[in-house]
Amino acid sequence: MKIFKKLILILLAIIVVAQFFQPEKNEGEYTSLSAFLTETKPSEDVQEILKVACFDCHSNTTRYPWYSNITPINFWMADHVRHGKGDLNFSNWDSYSLKKKEHKMEEVWEEVEEKHMPIDSYKWTHGDARLTDAQIQLVVTWGKQVQENYKSKLN
């Protein structure tokens, strides 16, 4: 029994010490999205959908809930953001080539239409990111229009 108590105390000490180590947060300004928003011209409804369902992981601006300060959850979230921004970063939209923008817009509407985005683990903790069929259709319609605009510029 003494060994069990010592193991529990050691584990507890590790958990407490781990709380002092935090990953870097992704706390940029929404102004970093201005090039994307200006160029793609989403309606207010689509812009709100993007804000609650996409920008946290796919931009330089993340809204952090209270539990994001708890290790190891904070490292898990940081990893999600890193991967999301690695695939698509709306804050870097102006640095993408026209061809890349066209391709990324196709991926945006396809991933939303197929309900692959937002990912399930994000929706578990962000109820407002659970998109209705109507919201999905708004994003898909907008995304297709933007993609077609880029396609026409490529030809």
Side-chain angles (χ1 to χ4, degrees):
M1 206 53 171
K2 284 184 176 184
I3 293 175
F4 181 71
K5 286 181 181 179
K6 285 182 181 181
L7 287 175
I8 293 294
L9 285 174
I10 290 170
L11 183 60
L12 185 60
I14 290 170
I15 290 171
V16 169
V17 170
Q19 301 311 307
F20 293 100
F21 298 94
Q22 302 282 319
E24 185 177 334
K25 288 196 173 186
N26 187 47
E27 295 180 307
E29 298 291 326
Y30 278 108
T31 56
S32 69
L33 295 160
S34 61
F36 169 75
L37 296 172
T38 300
E39 191 170 308
T40 62
K41 299 175 180 63
S43 67
E44 286 184 30
D45 290 337
V46 171
Q47 191 169 334
E48 184 60 25
I49 293 166
L50 295 171
K51 183 177 180 181
V52 300
C54 306
F55 291 158
D56 279 350
C57 295
H58 294 285
S59 78
N60 294 339
T61 305
T62 300
R63 298 172 298 148
Y64 285 96
W66 65 269
Y67 53 82
S68 67
N69 294 314
I70 301 171
T71 301
I73 295 170
N74 52 11
F75 284 95
W76 176 71
M77 288 178 66
D79 189 57
H80 273 252
V81 171
R82 184 177 54 80
H83 282 290
K85 287 172 57 175
D87 290 336
L88 170 63
N89 188 343
F90 291 114
S91 295
N92 293 342
W93 193 254
D94 57 347
S95 69
Y96 292 171
S97 70
L98 192 59
K99 184 174 178 136
K100 186 171 183 175
K101 289 177 183 179
E102 184 272 330
H103 178 70
K104 289 297 180 185
M105 284 310 300
E106 179 180 28
E107 287 181 342
V108 166
W109 68 260
E110 283 180 346
E111 290 293 310
V112 171
E113 183 176 56
E114 295 169 4
K115 299 182 180 180
H116 295 155
M117 284 288 148
I119 60 174
D120 288 337
S121 60
Y122 184 78
K123 292 184 287 188
W124 295 336
T125 56
H126 296 83
D128 53 351
R130 291 184 191 104
L131 304 181
T132 65
D133 289 341
Q135 289 173 311
I136 289 170
Q137 193 53 51
L138 279 173
V139 173
V140 168
T141 301
W142 163 79
K144 285 181 177 181
Q145 289 171 346
V146 174
Q147 181 195 10
E148 284 303 313
N149 183 38
Y150 288 131
K151 272 186 184 178
S152 68
K153 290 178 182 179
L154 285 168
N155 295 330

